[in-house]
Amino acid sequence: MSLPTEAVSPKATPLPPLPEEDPLTPAQWKMLLAIADAVIPAIKPTATANTRTEVAVAGNEYSTAVSALRALTPEDDHDADSAAKEYLADNASSNPLFKMELQRMFAMYMPQSTRKQLSTVLSILDTRAGSLALTGYLTPISSQPANIRESILKSWSTARLGPLRQLHRSLTVLSKQTWIKVTPSLRRVLGVPRVPTGMMPGVGHDYAFIQFPPGDKPEVIETDVIIIGSGCGGGVSAKNLAEAGHRVIVVEKGHHWTPDHFPMSEADGWNHLFMNGAFISSDDTSTSIVAGQSWGGGGTVNWSASLQTQGYVRREWASKGLPFFTSAEFQDSLDRVCERMGVSTEHVKHNPANEMLLEGARKLGWSHKAVPQNTGGNQHYCGHCTFGCGSCEKQGPSVSYLPDAARAGTQFIEGFHAEKIVFSKTMKDGKKLATGVQGTWTSRDMHGGVAGAPLVTRKVLIKAKRIIVAAGTMQSPLLLLRSGLSNPQIGRNLYVHPVMVIGSIHQQDIKPWEGGILTSVVNEFENLDNAGHGAKLEATNMIPSSWLIWLDWRGGLQYKLDAARLRHMAGYISIARDRDTGRVYPDPIDGRVRFEYHPSKFDKQHILKGLLALAELQYVAGASEIFTVLPGMRPFIRDPSLPASGDGINDPVFQAWLNEIKAKGFPSPESVFVSAHQMGTCRMSSARRDGVVDPQGRVWGTEGLYVTDASVFPSASGVNPMVTNMAISDWISRGIAEGLEGRAML
Ligand SMILES: Cc1cc2nc3c(=O)[nH]c(=O)nc-3n(C[C@H](O)[C@H](O)[C@H](O)COP(=O)(O)OP(=O)(O)OC[C@H]3O[C@@H](n4cnc5c(N)ncnc54)[C@H](O)[C@@H]3O)c2cc1C
Ligand SMILES: *[C@@H]1O[C@H](CO)[C@@H](O)[C@H](O)[C@H]1NC(C)=O
């Protein structure tokens, strides 16, 4: 078999138009872009720099930078010199897409209150008094030359006032992230291919979606079971119930993208495939959440890691009055979903970062293993799955469970936002009987895409005997609240598996964007309190816009030079099974998802322990440089002139550096944690006052209403949640199928 030599080019995925109303005033824009251009400035040698708009560096420093970049630029770029100079000369705002992307973020994703805070700060910076107080100059930043703008930003990072450090963090992250998504100059220096090398396009399931004609009155349809959300929980439930012979409809807010659109470009992918453009920050901005939102939910963007729930977590859940979790039935469910997705470690080919994780752990005598992948028995050396799987090898719900469901007669509606559950009456025992779902359907545009105005927008009422909520941990509780349920547990008990990243630089090429993202795990530190809390060590996604935003910003030139070394980097996460929780709730103004979460002192200790362990691991793996993303923390640089000593991690210079990290800890408010694992906001409980759903998955105090997504976890799963989630959904939906049969026979 020969691989195609030409990269296959995915279809275009244009974004919806920007809202007409501009979220910022012209003066606020000017200020914001002037700051962004200080984070990502144009850099020129002193002799030719225009110091208003360009950061001037000494001639020799400039030529050192150019040769460093030239050496990094891919060999097949015949003009590495101009690639390097163009990269240095790039400022954030020179690309019109930069402002458009920011505008999208402000107008469409940022909660009103956050937007208001930021725009107020921008206006204050524009007054003489405000400028003096915040920058030390009467002249507002937007009228300052480039070097001064940059030095003001640097000074904020070490300011005594927490809010200034937080402002520094927010503005640098926003600028870095947006620039990385849209800049061609960085891409050229990095040499990251648009599509995984050798990707063979796959053919997906040919879905048919229900369409509705225009109309003023709500369209009413009727079925046995309606499932809200096409993600991991929804997909499994749909298959089981349809195969049991019931009429099933799955509705999904997001749209279906055929595999020939995958992997999407970074700029498009974040917008099309993630909730809120992946821009969801806790109220105190300490924690940032990434959740999938498209056909197939989190399963379309996840990284294939398919781990079964561990014994200590099952025992903890069983001890809360939920014996199912230590039963043979639960194991059957776990095995059934793993079987269907072809989960195994047999075909795993580790990329260098995962190989180093395993080898480093071996050298240190730490417990480690390969992580099974749901890649249907294929090798799948891809790395781009965060933006969708073009080869269809990754067995996400959209290529496994949902097609099975379709073959068994399930019907689908995309672009359907479930607004509320309809209850027809309150029964004698005080329970509310759920009988339908009300929502809004938004069709595609006249070209069959989502970039233009929809042809039809229609209210739809779907009546059903059973209603299954599988909208994910962030949205399911909001839907229950919008429906008038008032159990105070709804939205509480938010677990997120908080993550902190750490990375290293290696002499050799790592090309960390290649290969399975998460194919290994070190579990030596997963139980640090003897109650099942601790940190796992895993490799992470190294696509530029997911990774390079974490590199510390200590100045424009330093940041650009650091970012350019991506091909030599390995990146890892210390991911904690959190004991302490947060809460999800609707924004009081616009109803969008908001959440409170701050990793507790207890959980932070575990994350820190994991981070230090990852540093040791990278030391023994031969890293020439190890860097944290803790603000202002210097990297560890191995002295290349010293011969390797027998000390290993006992190297006193290295130990001194680890002690510096320990002393620093995670300074607040500028440290940021990330999460792709949200769980627990509709937790299962054996008693009504302790949770949202009963041991069968039924919402307490209701009839006919169930939840089957990761929100029902009684606490954090410890492992990556997909398989646990699907197994629980498998079991709950089997129970629902039996219940429906029982009723039919009466
Ligand atoms: C980048 C990334 C990588 C990950 N990698 C892994 C991994 O390797 N292994 C692993 O085990 N886990 C991984 N996860 C986590 C995993 O994807 C989630 O735990 C899992 O998808 C949760 O499933 P769910 O059913 O709870 O919800 P989701 O899969 O999130 O599905 C919910 C769906 O409901 C839709 N929806 C929401 N509200 C409404 C509404 N009102 N009306 C209609 N539809 C609605 C959403 O659009 C979404 O598609 C990853 C997550 C991310 C974001
Ligand atoms: C950024 O670059 C553009 C084009 O090169 C230039 O016009 C603009 O003034 C620069 N921005 C700032 C704030 O220096």
Side-chain angles (χ1 to χ4, degrees):
M1 188 180 75
S2 65
L3 295 175
T5 44
E6 291 288 303
V8 239
S9 170
K11 280 190 185 157
T13 51
L15 296 172
L18 289 170
E20 264 164 39
E21 179 216 1
D22 198 329
L24 297 180
T25 65
Q28 289 167 341
W29 272 120
K30 189 171 169 223
M31 183 63 72
L32 183 61
L33 294 178
I35 292 172
D37 283 340
V39 178
I40 307 293
I43 296 162
K44 289 276 176 70
T46 317
T48 57
N50 167 354
T51 53
R52 285 225 71 74
T53 57
E54 295 163 346
V55 167
V57 299
N60 56 347
E61 201 184 341
Y62 182 80
S63 20
T64 312
V66 172
S67 32
L69 291 168
R70 238 182 0 222
L72 289 163
T73 307
E75 308 83 50
D76 56 0
D77 192 325
H78 299 300
D79 199 359
D81 197 65
S82 60
K85 288 182 176 154
E86 194 185 290
Y87 175 61
L88 289 172
D90 191 12
N91 74 9
S93 76
S94 59
N95 182 344
L97 290 177
F98 181 85
K99 185 181 169 192
M100 284 167 71
E101 191 59 27
L102 277 181
Q103 199 171 338
R104 189 177 304 279
M105 204 172 261
F106 271 82
M108 297 170 64
Y109 303 139
M110 213 179 262
Q112 302 265 2
S113 40
T114 319
R115 192 213 295 191
K116 212 163 156 213
Q117 271 169 12
L118 256 175
S119 53
T120 308
V121 172
L122 293 172
S123 297
I124 292 175
L125 280 168
D126 221 0
T127 64
R128 287 165 67 85
S131 179
L132 186 62
L134 297 177
T135 71
Y137 296 92
L138 279 171
T139 310
I141 305 189
S142 47
S143 308
Q144 295 278 19
N147 295 41
I148 302 216
R149 273 184 273 140
E150 195 189 36
S151 68
I152 292 170
L153 270 167
K154 286 185 194 168
S155 74
W156 283 351
S157 69
T158 52
R160 288 242 305 285
L161 285 176
L164 270 187
R165 299 200 303 276
Q166 185 172 338
L167 183 66
H168 170 269
R169 211 264 333 278
S170 304
L171 291 171
T172 50
V173 170
L174 198 66
S175 309
K176 287 187 275 188
Q177 185 178 35
T178 312
W179 175 68
I180 299 164
K181 278 195 254 181
V182 300
T183 172
S185 75
L186 171 67
R187 295 231 126 216
R188 186 167 167 199
V189 169
L190 295 181
V192 181
R194 168 72 183 83
V195 179
T197 316
M199 182 184 94
M200 300 282 273
V203 180
H205 180 78
D206 191 11
Y207 287 98
F209 292 98
I210 299 179
Q211 308 291 316
F212 300 100
D216 299 332
K217 281 207 230 106
E219 175 90 18
V220 181
I221 52 178
E222 193 256 310
T223 183
D224 293 335
V225 181
I226 171 166
I227 298 174
I228 302 157
S230 65
C232 298
V236 174
S237 293
K239 170 182 160 96
N240 284 344
L241 283 150
E243 287 180 355
H246 306 294
R247 293 175 303 155
V248 178
I249 295 181
V250 175
V251 299
E252 165 61 53
K253 184 154 96 181
H255 286 89
H256 174 52
W257 296 93
T258 50
D260 46 1
H261 293 93
F262 294 149
M264 289 190 187
S265 74
E266 294 181 61
D268 293 353
W270 290 118
N271 285 298
H272 284 312
L273 302 176
F274 290 85
M275 190 186 299
N276 236 358
F279 186 87
I280 315 177
S281 208
S282 60
D283 289 348
D284 70 353
T285 73
S286 68
T287 309
S288 192
I289 275 186
V290 189
Q293 176 178 302
S294 79
W295 190 247
T300 300
V301 298
N302 80 15
W303 307 340
S304 301
S306 305
L307 292 161
Q308 297 204 350
T309 332
Q310 286 168 280
Y312 62 87
V313 175
R314 297 189 206 184
R315 288 192 294 276
E316 180 194 306
W317 292 356
S319 76
K320 293 177 177 169
L322 301 166
F324 164 63
F325 290 106
T326 43
S327 72
E329 281 179 311
F330 184 48
Q331 187 57 43
D332 287 346
S333 287
L334 287 166
D335 287 341
R336 198 156 31 233
V337 302
C338 288
E339 164 88 7
R340 174 60 191 92
M341 295 193 293
V343 171
S344 88
T345 47
E346 251 168 61
H347 303 271
V348 174
K349 175 180 165 201
H350 299 289
N351 68 9
N354 281 282
E355 213 148 66
M356 285 191 283
L357 189 76
L358 293 171
E359 178 57 9
R362 189 194 67 78
K363 285 185 176 161
L364 291 161
W366 296 345
S367 158
H368 61 279
K369 63 177 185 179
V371 170
Q373 308 282 306
N374 62 349
T375 49
N378 299 300
Q379 183 181 35
H380 201 57
Y381 196 73
C382 155
H384 288 55
C385 284
T386 306
F387 299 111
C389 193
S391 70
C392 295
E393 283 170 356
K394 180 175 83 176
Q395 300 289 301
S398 62
V399 300
S400 58
Y401 278 89
L402 293 166
D404 288 352
R407 283 184 283 270
T410 299
Q411 291 186 292
F412 302 112
I413 309 178
E414 59 169 1
F416 181 98
H417 179 238
E419 273 139 21
K420 53 161 81 160
I421 315 287
V422 181
F423 297 100
S424 70
K425 59 174 182 191
T426 303
M427 302 188 310
K428 274 193 268 133
D429 55 7
K431 285 186 181 164
K432 292 172 131 187
L433 179 66
T435 51
V437 174
Q438 187 185 303
T440 303
W441 177 71
T442 309
S443 78
R444 289 179 173 249
D445 62 23
M446 59 188 293
H447 306 292
V450 298
L455 291 176
V456 182
T457 308
R458 185 83 191 265
K459 293 263 176 224
V460 179
L461 171 65
I462 306 173
K463 294 183 175 171
K465 296 176 191 147
R466 296 288 187 274
I467 291 136
I468 299 183
V469 178
T473 294
M474 305 307 283
Q475 297 292 340
S476 289
L478 299 196
L479 175 59
L480 296 184
L481 291 171
R482 284 198 298 273
S483 311
L485 296 179
S486 57
N487 179 345
Q489 295 283 354
I490 298 173
R492 294 198 175 273
N493 315 307
L494 170 69
Y495 295 87
V496 309
H497 283 170
V499 159
M500 178 64 82
V501 305
I502 183 166
S504 55
I505 306 273
H506 298 258
Q507 226 81 86
Q508 72 274 27
D509 256 13
I510 303 286
K511 294 198 187 162
W513 52 81
E514 276 184 1
I517 298 170
L518 202 175
T519 58
S520 61
V521 61
V522 172
N523 34 22
E524 179 80 8
F525 307 99
E526 68 188 7
N527 189 357
L528 294 170
D529 67 343
N530 286 324
H533 303 103
K536 284 188 167 66
L537 319 181
E538 296 179 347
T540 188
N541 181 12
M542 302 283 286
I543 284 291
S545 55
S546 329
W547 175 254
L548 296 177
I549 52 165
W550 302 117
L551 303 193
D552 195 21
W553 184 91
R554 297 186 304 278
L557 181 59
Q558 162 268 335
Y559 180 73
K560 282 190 179 178
L561 290 176
D562 282 353
R565 297 194 291 177
L566 182 64
R567 70 165 47 227
H568 294 288
M569 281 181 203
Y572 298 97
I573 56 178
S574 166
I575 172 166
R577 173 167 192 252
D578 39 350
R579 181 192 70 180
D580 301 317
T581 61
R583 160 177 98 96
V584 166
Y585 66 99
D587 184 272
I589 303 174
D590 56 25
R592 281 191 209 167
V593 62
R594 293 274 299 269
F595 74 103
E596 281 171 8
Y597 186 91
H598 189 103
S600 68
K601 214 173 143 197
F602 176 87
D603 292 322
K604 275 186 192 167
Q605 276 173 358
H606 295 166
I607 305 174
L608 186 60
K609 176 76 196 146
L611 212 60
L612 296 168
L614 278 167
E616 296 184 329
L617 201 144
Q618 292 173 95
Y619 184 97
V620 303
S624 50
E625 205 175 313
I626 306 171
F627 57 88
T628 67
V629 299
L630 301 173
M633 179 68 210
R634 70 183 175 95
F636 170 77
I637 301 177
R638 209 188 280 256
D639 184 343
S641 65
L642 290 181
S645 82
D647 285 345
I649 55 169
N650 299 332
D651 168 358
V653 181
F654 176 61
Q655 283 297 330
W657 181 73
L658 292 184
N659 284 333
E660 255 177 69
I661 303 181
K662 270 184 234 166
K664 196 167 181 78
F666 299 119
S668 207
E670 64 269 38
S671 302
V672 196
F673 301 83
V674 225
S675 156
H677 298 167
Q678 305 86 39
M679 303 158 283
T681 52
C682 297
R683 80 174 170 197
M684 186 181 276
S685 63
S686 59
R688 182 170 173 167
R689 63 172 185 283
D690 296 330
V692 178
V693 302
D694 72 12
Q696 277 70 47
R698 187 187 310 127
V699 176
W700 285 112
T702 71
E703 265 315 319
L705 179 60
Y706 295 78
V707 183
T708 64
D709 55 33
S711 69
V712 304
F713 290 9
S715 69
S717 58
V719 287
N720 309 55
M722 169 179 82
V723 166
T724 304
N725 178 188
M726 295 171 95
I728 296 177
S729 175
D730 179 69
W731 187 74
I732 295 177
S733 54
R734 278 164 193 278
I736 297 173
E738 274 168 29
L740 271 172
E741 236 127 75
R743 183 143 111 182
M745 276 185 300
L746 284 180

